[in-house]
Amino acid sequence: MEWAEPDLPGAPLTSKTSYRQPGTVATGRTFDVPLDHERPDGERIEVYAREVVASDRADAELPWLLYLEGGPGLKAQRLIGRQAWLDRALREFRVLLLDQRGTGRSTPVNRQTLPQRGGPREQAAYLAHFRADAIVRDCELIRKRLTGGAPWTVLGQSFGGFCLTHYLTAAPEGLRTALFTGGLPSLDAHADTVYRAAYPRIQRKVEAHYARYPQDAERARRIAAHLVEHGPATLDGGYLLTVEAFQSLGILLGAGDGTHHLHHLLENAFVRAPHAPGGAQLSDAFRESARGALSYAGHPLYALLHESIYAQDARPTDWSAQRVRAEYPQFDAERALAAGGPPLFTGEGAYPWHFTSDPALAPLRETADHLAARTTWTPLYDAARLSRNEVPAAAAVYHDDMYVDAGHSLATARVVRGLRTWVTDEFEHDGVRTGG
């Protein structure tokens, strides 16, 4: 899994723009990189990153810290000034917030741009170049152009940590330090294994939510029953709120304050409507909040590539989350309603119905099918090389992380030589303290 990028003297930064925010100087940078790093003379795409430095150290010689966002398919955080973790990082680093290829301002991938690639088969072939291996090779080109070849520290959050694990495998010479937050992947688990571990964790999160907010059990039951009895609700923009889509609001429960956000979303779900079936209808406020939480318009790559981040061999992912869900009948909303109970929410996962419910994804259903059937995925991790790791590395592992299985993370931690772990139940996956 070793490779070397060619010397590309004709491929410097393509643009650079600076501005100030409270306590910081930010510089937007655009880089020109190959679409396919195995064909450096072929098609090229643009990758965007935002450099941030403390305003009182703007001219200082500082080591670099690269931040890799979670996802897949999420652009780098748009922090203002020295918000959140950035304040601590800026005390000693010049920080680079990368929009990974296909996200944010980095040659964005969506229903508007993908048709330019051709039909669904061609689109799927194009998207195969947007996994962790290509992201890391982008990082290495950028590092050499920014640091003059010096290694940098990389902070990988969630999927960003998956990318960083590949970085340790493929280009450890580019790393000064590797820092993981909720982002140590299994080195060899198929997507089916990942979801078999996920559904019991999700159930625990839902049950904990109903224990915290007992009134939400009846609210969720009433909403699900309404959608089953009267059919899906069409939200603004055309999003089709089916009972499965409603259940997927459980994705909120993986965040530190997500249980509270879900509670507030549910509490005003209905308004009285004497002429409507049942004398009530879903409120505009609920509809708008649900649409905002469910739509993939801002990050369609998440749904398109989600299962492919676990693919490393000839086995297709084949809509793993949907298939494995059938092994857990307690997540069947109609079955739960028939038994008089509330439905279980689900967590993260890409399902076929996403591509019929969400207008941002509907034109890409066939493309998603091609990705689900793909059998030519390449390995992302090399356990033997990781066992010889020499890069200082540390990882925060969240004890009951809904998104990344802690058991899988700790198994990987035992493989990576020298990796230090901090296992905590004080924080959730997003680094926010768990609600008391």
Side-chain angles (χ1 to χ4, degrees):
M1 200 176 289
E2 298 185 28
W3 40 259
E5 294 290 357
D7 185 21
L8 297 171
L13 307 182
T14 56
S15 67
K16 171 181 169 182
T17 305
S18 296
Y19 55 91
R20 289 183 175 270
Q21 287 189 338
T24 65
V25 176
T27 302
R29 297 180 178 274
T30 304
F31 304 87
D32 179 65
V33 302
L35 168 66
D36 181 353
H37 283 275
E38 295 301 319
R39 300 178 58 213
D41 296 327
E43 180 181 352
R44 305 188 74 81
I45 61 174
E46 288 187 345
V47 171
Y48 176 84
R50 195 183 315 267
E51 172 194 337
V52 184
V53 64
S55 54
D56 60 353
R57 307 189 74 188
D59 297 323
E61 290 291 330
L62 297 170
W64 284 86
L65 182 147
L66 169 68
Y67 175 71
L68 295 177
E69 185 60 270
L74 301 182
K75 64 187 179 185
Q77 294 176 339
R78 270 33 179 182
L79 299 171
I80 299 173
R82 303 181 64 138
Q83 285 181 329
W85 61 269
L86 191 58
D87 179 67
R88 173 63 183 86
L90 292 176
R91 298 178 198 174
E92 56 184 294
F93 293 104
R94 189 176 296 269
V95 175
L96 192 70
L97 305 171
L98 177 69
D99 282 355
Q100 297 161 20
R101 55 169 54 198
T103 74
R105 295 180 60 182
S106 293
T107 314
V109 167
N110 52 50
R111 66 180 176 87
Q112 296 167 300
T113 63
L114 274 174
Q116 301 169 30
R117 310 303 311 186
R121 189 179 301 277
E122 292 75 20
Q123 293 172 25
Y126 176 71
L127 290 172
H129 296 297
F130 286 74
R131 295 206 308 158
D133 46 1
I135 292 168
V136 168
R137 295 185 77 165
D138 291 343
C139 292
E140 275 296 273
L141 281 180
I142 292 169
R143 178 183 66 84
K144 292 169 184 177
R145 296 176 195 175
L146 283 184
T147 74
W152 55 11
T153 293
V154 177
L155 170 60
Q157 158 65 13
S158 190
F159 172 69
F162 288 30
C163 295
L164 182 51
T165 306
H166 178 75
Y167 215 142
L168 283 173
T169 288
E173 68 279 1
L175 298 172
R176 175 188 178 194
T177 308
L179 304 173
F180 300 82
T181 54
L184 280 176
S186 169
L187 299 180
D188 56 9
H190 183 267
D192 289 6
T193 305
V194 170
Y195 285 110
R196 287 191 181 106
Y199 280 112
R201 294 198 314 278
I202 295 166
Q203 182 171 352
R204 290 196 300 272
K205 294 289 187 183
V206 178
E207 290 171 347
H209 175 79
Y210 285 150
R212 177 190 295 277
Y213 291 114
Q215 63 271 48
D216 283 1
E218 172 57 23
R219 289 168 177 168
R221 189 204 63 77
R222 186 182 177 198
I223 295 167
H226 179 88
L227 294 170
V228 168
E229 182 177 353
H230 302 294
T234 302
L235 310 183
D236 286 351
Y239 192 100
L240 197 65
L241 184 66
T242 62
V243 69
E244 292 85 5
F246 168 66
Q247 287 177 274
S248 71
L249 286 169
I251 194 170
L252 297 172
L253 296 176
D257 53 7
T259 185
H260 310 303
H261 285 298
L262 180 60
H263 170 68
H264 291 147
L265 192 154
L266 298 177
E267 65 181 354
N268 293 313
F270 288 97
V271 294
R272 293 180 181 177
H275 300 295
Q281 60 185 10
L282 294 174
S283 70
D284 285 348
F286 170 79
R287 289 166 177 263
E288 181 58 21
S289 295
R291 185 196 63 79
L294 295 173
S295 173
Y296 283 100
H299 49 291
L301 269 182
Y302 179 99
L304 284 162
L305 291 182
H306 197 270
E307 292 189 356
S308 78
I309 69 176
Y310 306 115
Q312 300 194 74
D313 53 29
R315 290 177 294 171
T317 56
D318 192 25
W319 295 110
S320 177
Q322 181 77 1
R323 287 185 296 97
V324 173
R325 177 174 169 163
E327 301 173 14
Y328 298 87
Q330 62 267 40
F331 284 91
D332 184 321
E334 294 192 39
R335 176 174 173 161
L337 293 172
L344 288 176
F345 291 99
T346 55
E348 72 170 0
Y351 298 92
W353 59 259
H354 275 127
F355 292 83
T356 54
S357 287
D358 193 335
L361 298 177
L364 306 175
R365 172 56 194 267
E366 290 186 55
T367 302
D369 283 336
H370 281 293
L371 288 167
R374 188 179 178 90
T375 59
T376 54
W377 300 113
T378 54
L380 294 170
Y381 316 117
D382 183 337
R385 191 167 192 188
L386 291 171
S387 71
R388 302 190 300 271
N389 173 59
E390 296 182 356
V391 177
V397 177
Y398 305 118
H399 178 262
D400 202 25
D401 191 329
M402 193 175 84
Y403 304 136
V404 178
D405 185 75
H408 291 171
S409 295
L410 292 174
T412 295
R414 288 190 287 271
V415 172
V416 182
R417 180 177 177 269
L419 174 67
R420 300 178 64 185
T421 57
W422 174 49
V423 182
T424 177
D425 61 1
E426 189 176 355
F427 298 89
E428 288 284 3
H429 183 83
D430 58 351
V432 176
R433 290 183 185 273
T434 55

